[in-house]
Amino acid sequence: LLNFDEDHIRSQMAQRDLDLMILGFGGNEADDPIRSTENRYEPEFAAVIRRMRASRPDMACIIFAPLDQGARDNRGRVRTMETIPVIVEAQRNAARAEGCAFFNTYEAMGGEGAMGAWVRARPRHAMSDNRHSTPEGYEVIGNLFYKALIKAFADDLASR
């Protein structure tokens, strides 16, 4: 998104008069170990948040972390790609710095190695590419997100 025309994004966001923006990125970046280092990824991701909120800096936002993504190790086991926890932490830090809520999809799925378990689940929750969920898996993720929102809402009410 940093390569998109900044004025065009600002105009499009202003026309939509949004109250909430949800950004979900990180999966494609997992293949780029240089760009996904925390010291590079975090400031770039924070800049994306600022660019998307430029027309309404007060707009509420939620950052939706990437899914676990797996690669096979030398024994054939599916392990979390090394870049995923780095991206997740960088997004958490950028979300905090920019005043956005953060949903840790990676941890909600089960953290390290979750994608392998999701591929083996019946019905399958993930595709055999170890990177994408099935419709059933996305339904699980949607339910996990909903439960997290409701819990945060209840916690906020209880603290008042």
Side-chain angles (χ1 to χ4, degrees):
L1 289 174
L2 293 178
N3 293 325
F4 289 13
D5 181 82
E6 193 169 352
D7 292 333
H8 179 73
I9 290 175
R10 186 179 296 112
S11 168
Q12 290 296 310
M13 296 298 280
Q15 286 179 35
R16 284 167 174 73
D17 192 31
L18 302 172
D19 293 316
L20 173 66
M21 171 185 72
I22 300 175
L23 294 176
F25 293 98
N28 292 337
E29 293 91 330
D31 277 331
D32 189 342
I34 294 170
R35 288 201 63 213
S36 61
T37 59
E38 192 166 354
N39 63 348
R40 181 162 179 188
Y41 188 88
E42 186 177 325
E44 286 183 1
F45 193 74
V48 166
I49 295 169
R50 286 191 301 275
R51 178 166 291 184
M52 297 303 290
R53 290 170 86 190
S55 66
R56 289 254 332 263
D58 63 326
M59 178 175 34
C61 57
I62 300 173
I63 305 306
F64 205 89
L67 305 176
D68 181 34
Q69 294 194 22
R72 295 203 178 272
D73 66 13
N74 58 2
R75 299 176 118 186
R77 294 176 296 196
V78 177
R79 300 286 188 203
T80 295
M81 295 174 68
E82 290 180 10
T83 53
I84 290 295
V86 173
I87 289 170
V88 169
E89 191 59 27
Q91 287 186 358
R92 178 194 328 272
N93 294 339
R96 184 180 302 120
E98 298 302 322
C100 296
F102 178 76
F103 179 70
N104 193 336
T105 317
Y106 166 72
E107 285 296 327
M109 290 177 69
E112 169 62 42
M115 189 55 78
W118 280 45
V119 168
R120 292 187 306 274
R122 294 295 175 254
R124 274 186 161 192
H125 289 14
M127 307 296 280
S128 58
D129 67 357
N130 297 310
R131 307 228 24 201
H132 298 92
S133 286
T134 61
E136 293 83 3
Y138 284 118
E139 185 173 340
V140 169
I141 292 165
N143 287 330
L144 292 167
F145 181 57
Y146 170 78
K147 289 176 183 178
L149 283 175
I150 294 301
K151 181 182 181 320
F153 179 64
D155 290 349
D156 183 62
L157 288 177
S159 71
R160 291 174 187 242

PDB file of all heavy atoms in Angstrom, residues 21-25 45 49 61-65 91-92 94-95 100-105:
ATOM      1  N   MET A  21     -11.657   0.744  10.423  1.00  0.00           N
ATOM      2  CA  MET A  21     -10.826   0.152   9.378  1.00  0.00           C
ATOM      3  C   MET A  21     -10.172  -1.097   9.958  1.00  0.00           C
ATOM      4  O   MET A  21      -9.615  -1.058  11.060  1.00  0.00           O
ATOM      5  CB  MET A  21      -9.754   1.159   8.944  1.00  0.00           C
ATOM      6  CG  MET A  21      -8.712   0.586   8.020  1.00  0.00           C
ATOM      7  SD  MET A  21      -7.405   1.773   7.652  1.00  0.00           S
ATOM      8  CE  MET A  21      -6.529   1.830   9.212  1.00  0.00           C
ATOM      9  N   ILE A  22     -10.256  -2.191   9.233  1.00  0.00           N
ATOM     10  CA  ILE A  22      -9.574  -3.423   9.622  1.00  0.00           C
ATOM     11  C   ILE A  22      -8.556  -3.738   8.538  1.00  0.00           C
ATOM     12  O   ILE A  22      -8.918  -3.874   7.370  1.00  0.00           O
ATOM     13  CB  ILE A  22     -10.553  -4.602   9.802  1.00  0.00           C
ATOM     14  CG1 ILE A  22     -11.586  -4.279  10.877  1.00  0.00           C
ATOM     15  CG2 ILE A  22      -9.782  -5.881  10.135  1.00  0.00           C
ATOM     16  CD1 ILE A  22     -12.659  -5.334  11.053  1.00  0.00           C
ATOM     17  N   LEU A  23      -7.294  -3.835   8.940  1.00  0.00           N
ATOM     18  CA  LEU A  23      -6.226  -4.188   8.009  1.00  0.00           C
ATOM     19  C   LEU A  23      -5.719  -5.581   8.337  1.00  0.00           C
ATOM     20  O   LEU A  23      -5.385  -5.864   9.492  1.00  0.00           O
ATOM     21  CB  LEU A  23      -5.058  -3.201   8.101  1.00  0.00           C
ATOM     22  CG  LEU A  23      -5.321  -1.767   7.668  1.00  0.00           C
ATOM     23  CD1 LEU A  23      -4.079  -0.914   7.909  1.00  0.00           C
ATOM     24  CD2 LEU A  23      -5.725  -1.715   6.201  1.00  0.00           C
ATOM     25  N   GLY A  24      -5.668  -6.434   7.340  1.00  0.00           N
ATOM     26  CA  GLY A  24      -5.151  -7.788   7.508  1.00  0.00           C
ATOM     27  C   GLY A  24      -4.086  -8.081   6.478  1.00  0.00           C
ATOM     28  O   GLY A  24      -4.402  -8.305   5.311  1.00  0.00           O
ATOM     29  N   PHE A  25      -2.843  -8.036   6.904  1.00  0.00           N
ATOM     30  CA  PHE A  25      -1.710  -8.260   6.014  1.00  0.00           C
ATOM     31  C   PHE A  25      -0.681  -9.139   6.714  1.00  0.00           C
ATOM     32  O   PHE A  25      -0.772  -9.381   7.895  1.00  0.00           O
ATOM     33  CB  PHE A  25      -1.032  -6.930   5.648  1.00  0.00           C
ATOM     34  CG  PHE A  25      -1.888  -6.034   4.808  1.00  0.00           C
ATOM     35  CD1 PHE A  25      -2.603  -5.011   5.391  1.00  0.00           C
ATOM     36  CD2 PHE A  25      -1.973  -6.217   3.446  1.00  0.00           C
ATOM     37  CE1 PHE A  25      -3.392  -4.176   4.635  1.00  0.00           C
ATOM     38  CE2 PHE A  25      -2.758  -5.388   2.673  1.00  0.00           C
ATOM     39  CZ  PHE A  25      -3.460  -4.365   3.259  1.00  0.00           C
ATOM     40  N   PHE A  45       4.934  -0.925   8.260  1.00  0.00           N
ATOM     41  CA  PHE A  45       3.538  -1.236   8.565  1.00  0.00           C
ATOM     42  C   PHE A  45       2.874  -0.062   9.286  1.00  0.00           C
ATOM     43  O   PHE A  45       1.718   0.265   9.008  1.00  0.00           O
ATOM     44  CB  PHE A  45       3.433  -2.523   9.385  1.00  0.00           C
ATOM     45  CG  PHE A  45       2.032  -3.044   9.440  1.00  0.00           C
ATOM     46  CD1 PHE A  45       1.463  -3.661   8.339  1.00  0.00           C
ATOM     47  CD2 PHE A  45       1.270  -2.914  10.585  1.00  0.00           C
ATOM     48  CE1 PHE A  45       0.160  -4.133   8.371  1.00  0.00           C
ATOM     49  CE2 PHE A  45      -0.031  -3.378  10.634  1.00  0.00           C
ATOM     50  CZ  PHE A  45      -0.590  -3.994   9.519  1.00  0.00           C
ATOM     51  N   ILE A  49      -0.546   2.077   8.141  1.00  0.00           N
ATOM     52  CA  ILE A  49      -1.674   2.464   9.006  1.00  0.00           C
ATOM     53  C   ILE A  49      -1.921   3.966   8.902  1.00  0.00           C
ATOM     54  O   ILE A  49      -3.060   4.410   8.709  1.00  0.00           O
ATOM     55  CB  ILE A  49      -1.418   2.052  10.477  1.00  0.00           C
ATOM     56  CG1 ILE A  49      -1.360   0.531  10.605  1.00  0.00           C
ATOM     57  CG2 ILE A  49      -2.515   2.632  11.382  1.00  0.00           C
ATOM     58  CD1 ILE A  49      -0.853   0.048  11.963  1.00  0.00           C
ATOM     59  N   CYS A  61      -9.376   1.528  14.372  1.00  0.00           N
ATOM     60  CA  CYS A  61      -8.762   0.543  13.489  1.00  0.00           C
ATOM     61  C   CYS A  61      -8.403  -0.711  14.272  1.00  0.00           C
ATOM     62  O   CYS A  61      -8.124  -0.661  15.471  1.00  0.00           O
ATOM     63  CB  CYS A  61      -7.534   1.114  12.790  1.00  0.00           C
ATOM     64  SG  CYS A  61      -6.259   1.738  13.875  1.00  0.00           S
ATOM     65  N   ILE A  62      -8.453  -1.808  13.550  1.00  0.00           N
ATOM     66  CA  ILE A  62      -8.059  -3.106  14.083  1.00  0.00           C
ATOM     67  C   ILE A  62      -7.060  -3.702  13.110  1.00  0.00           C
ATOM     68  O   ILE A  62      -7.292  -3.720  11.905  1.00  0.00           O
ATOM     69  CB  ILE A  62      -9.261  -4.065  14.234  1.00  0.00           C
ATOM     70  CG1 ILE A  62     -10.310  -3.492  15.186  1.00  0.00           C
ATOM     71  CG2 ILE A  62      -8.788  -5.446  14.698  1.00  0.00           C
ATOM     72  CD1 ILE A  62     -11.596  -4.306  15.248  1.00  0.00           C
ATOM     73  N   ILE A  63      -5.965  -4.190  13.642  1.00  0.00           N
ATOM     74  CA  ILE A  63      -4.978  -4.895  12.841  1.00  0.00           C
ATOM     75  C   ILE A  63      -5.202  -6.384  13.053  1.00  0.00           C
ATOM     76  O   ILE A  63      -5.229  -6.868  14.182  1.00  0.00           O
ATOM     77  CB  ILE A  63      -3.536  -4.503  13.248  1.00  0.00           C
ATOM     78  CG1 ILE A  63      -3.359  -2.984  13.168  1.00  0.00           C
ATOM     79  CG2 ILE A  63      -2.527  -5.259  12.405  1.00  0.00           C
ATOM     80  CD1 ILE A  63      -3.715  -2.350  11.840  1.00  0.00           C
ATOM     81  N   PHE A  64      -5.393  -7.081  11.970  1.00  0.00           N
ATOM     82  CA  PHE A  64      -5.688  -8.504  11.955  1.00  0.00           C
ATOM     83  C   PHE A  64      -4.410  -9.222  11.521  1.00  0.00           C
ATOM     84  O   PHE A  64      -4.042  -9.180  10.356  1.00  0.00           O
ATOM     85  CB  PHE A  64      -6.819  -8.745  10.941  1.00  0.00           C
ATOM     86  CG  PHE A  64      -7.644  -9.958  11.158  1.00  0.00           C
ATOM     87  CD1 PHE A  64      -8.771  -9.895  11.967  1.00  0.00           C
ATOM     88  CD2 PHE A  64      -7.335 -11.141  10.532  1.00  0.00           C
ATOM     89  CE1 PHE A  64      -9.569 -11.015  12.148  1.00  0.00           C
ATOM     90  CE2 PHE A  64      -8.121 -12.269  10.708  1.00  0.00           C
ATOM     91  CZ  PHE A  64      -9.246 -12.203  11.517  1.00  0.00           C
ATOM     92  N   ALA A  65      -3.704  -9.815  12.473  1.00  0.00           N
ATOM     93  CA  ALA A  65      -2.405 -10.445  12.192  1.00  0.00           C
ATOM     94  C   ALA A  65      -2.554 -11.587  11.188  1.00  0.00           C
ATOM     95  O   ALA A  65      -3.643 -12.147  11.019  1.00  0.00           O
ATOM     96  CB  ALA A  65      -1.800 -10.969  13.492  1.00  0.00           C
ATOM     97  N   GLN A  91       3.640  -6.131  13.803  1.00  0.00           N
ATOM     98  CA  GLN A  91       2.298  -5.581  13.642  1.00  0.00           C
ATOM     99  C   GLN A  91       1.693  -5.188  14.985  1.00  0.00           C
ATOM    100  O   GLN A  91       1.037  -4.155  15.094  1.00  0.00           O
ATOM    101  CB  GLN A  91       1.380  -6.581  12.924  1.00  0.00           C
ATOM    102  CG  GLN A  91       1.683  -6.708  11.458  1.00  0.00           C
ATOM    103  CD  GLN A  91       0.680  -7.573  10.739  1.00  0.00           C
ATOM    104  OE1 GLN A  91      -0.250  -8.128  11.322  1.00  0.00           O
ATOM    105  NE2 GLN A  91       0.860  -7.702   9.434  1.00  0.00           N
ATOM    106  N   ARG A  92       1.919  -6.007  16.014  1.00  0.00           N
ATOM    107  CA  ARG A  92       1.419  -5.665  17.353  1.00  0.00           C
ATOM    108  C   ARG A  92       2.014  -4.335  17.797  1.00  0.00           C
ATOM    109  O   ARG A  92       1.320  -3.453  18.292  1.00  0.00           O
ATOM    110  CB  ARG A  92       1.769  -6.752  18.364  1.00  0.00           C
ATOM    111  CG  ARG A  92       1.316  -6.429  19.791  1.00  0.00           C
ATOM    112  CD  ARG A  92       1.925  -7.303  20.879  1.00  0.00           C
ATOM    113  NE  ARG A  92       2.238  -8.650  20.521  1.00  0.00           N
ATOM    114  CZ  ARG A  92       1.395  -9.684  20.593  1.00  0.00           C
ATOM    115  NH1 ARG A  92       0.159  -9.491  21.020  1.00  0.00           N
ATOM    116  NH2 ARG A  92       1.781 -10.902  20.251  1.00  0.00           N
ATOM    117  N   ALA A  94       3.331  -1.905  15.906  1.00  0.00           N
ATOM    118  CA  ALA A  94       2.841  -0.814  15.059  1.00  0.00           C
ATOM    119  C   ALA A  94       1.408  -0.457  15.435  1.00  0.00           C
ATOM    120  O   ALA A  94       1.057   0.729  15.501  1.00  0.00           O
ATOM    121  CB  ALA A  94       2.931  -1.197  13.584  1.00  0.00           C
ATOM    122  N   ALA A  95       0.585  -1.463  15.704  1.00  0.00           N
ATOM    123  CA  ALA A  95      -0.803  -1.206  16.106  1.00  0.00           C
ATOM    124  C   ALA A  95      -0.833  -0.390  17.395  1.00  0.00           C
ATOM    125  O   ALA A  95      -1.566   0.600  17.495  1.00  0.00           O
ATOM    126  CB  ALA A  95      -1.555  -2.526  16.292  1.00  0.00           C
ATOM    127  N   CYS A 100      -4.198   1.451  17.373  1.00  0.00           N
ATOM    128  CA  CYS A 100      -5.133   0.474  16.806  1.00  0.00           C
ATOM    129  C   CYS A 100      -5.245  -0.743  17.714  1.00  0.00           C
ATOM    130  O   CYS A 100      -4.283  -1.110  18.397  1.00  0.00           O
ATOM    131  CB  CYS A 100      -4.646  -0.006  15.439  1.00  0.00           C
ATOM    132  SG  CYS A 100      -4.573   1.259  14.169  1.00  0.00           S
ATOM    133  N   ALA A 101      -6.387  -1.376  17.687  1.00  0.00           N
ATOM    134  CA  ALA A 101      -6.550  -2.665  18.352  1.00  0.00           C
ATOM    135  C   ALA A 101      -5.795  -3.710  17.530  1.00  0.00           C
ATOM    136  O   ALA A 101      -5.490  -3.496  16.354  1.00  0.00           O
ATOM    137  CB  ALA A 101      -8.029  -3.023  18.446  1.00  0.00           C
ATOM    138  N   PHE A 102      -5.498  -4.829  18.145  1.00  0.00           N
ATOM    139  CA  PHE A 102      -4.721  -5.868  17.487  1.00  0.00           C
ATOM    140  C   PHE A 102      -5.347  -7.217  17.773  1.00  0.00           C
ATOM    141  O   PHE A 102      -5.600  -7.560  18.932  1.00  0.00           O
ATOM    142  CB  PHE A 102      -3.276  -5.837  17.996  1.00  0.00           C
ATOM    143  CG  PHE A 102      -2.398  -6.903  17.417  1.00  0.00           C
ATOM    144  CD1 PHE A 102      -1.916  -6.787  16.124  1.00  0.00           C
ATOM    145  CD2 PHE A 102      -2.054  -8.016  18.156  1.00  0.00           C
ATOM    146  CE1 PHE A 102      -1.109  -7.769  15.573  1.00  0.00           C
ATOM    147  CE2 PHE A 102      -1.239  -8.999  17.626  1.00  0.00           C
ATOM    148  CZ  PHE A 102      -0.769  -8.880  16.334  1.00  0.00           C
ATOM    149  N   PHE A 103      -5.619  -7.996  16.725  1.00  0.00           N
ATOM    150  CA  PHE A 103      -6.103  -9.368  16.884  1.00  0.00           C
ATOM    151  C   PHE A 103      -4.999 -10.298  16.412  1.00  0.00           C
ATOM    152  O   PHE A 103      -4.581 -10.262  15.257  1.00  0.00           O
ATOM    153  CB  PHE A 103      -7.383  -9.615  16.086  1.00  0.00           C
ATOM    154  CG  PHE A 103      -7.876 -11.026  16.207  1.00  0.00           C
ATOM    155  CD1 PHE A 103      -8.401 -11.486  17.406  1.00  0.00           C
ATOM    156  CD2 PHE A 103      -7.806 -11.900  15.133  1.00  0.00           C
ATOM    157  CE1 PHE A 103      -8.844 -12.798  17.538  1.00  0.00           C
ATOM    158  CE2 PHE A 103      -8.257 -13.209  15.251  1.00  0.00           C
ATOM    159  CZ  PHE A 103      -8.776 -13.659  16.447  1.00  0.00           C
ATOM    160  N   ASN A 104      -4.524 -11.140  17.329  1.00  0.00           N
ATOM    161  CA  ASN A 104      -3.431 -12.044  17.024  1.00  0.00           C
ATOM    162  C   ASN A 104      -3.979 -13.349  16.449  1.00  0.00           C
ATOM    163  O   ASN A 104      -4.181 -14.326  17.159  1.00  0.00           O
ATOM    164  CB  ASN A 104      -2.594 -12.298  18.280  1.00  0.00           C
ATOM    165  CG  ASN A 104      -1.285 -12.964  17.955  1.00  0.00           C
ATOM    166  OD1 ASN A 104      -1.147 -13.622  16.931  1.00  0.00           O
ATOM    167  ND2 ASN A 104      -0.324 -12.812  18.843  1.00  0.00           N
ATOM    168  N   THR A 105      -4.208 -13.344  15.156  1.00  0.00           N
ATOM    169  CA  THR A 105      -4.748 -14.506  14.462  1.00  0.00           C
ATOM    170  C   THR A 105      -3.840 -15.718  14.639  1.00  0.00           C
ATOM    171  O   THR A 105      -4.317 -16.840  14.858  1.00  0.00           O
ATOM    172  CB  THR A 105      -4.899 -14.201  12.959  1.00  0.00           C
ATOM    173  OG1 THR A 105      -5.443 -12.892  12.810  1.00  0.00           O
ATOM    174  CG2 THR A 105      -5.789 -15.203  12.279  1.00  0.00           C
TER     175      THR A 105
END
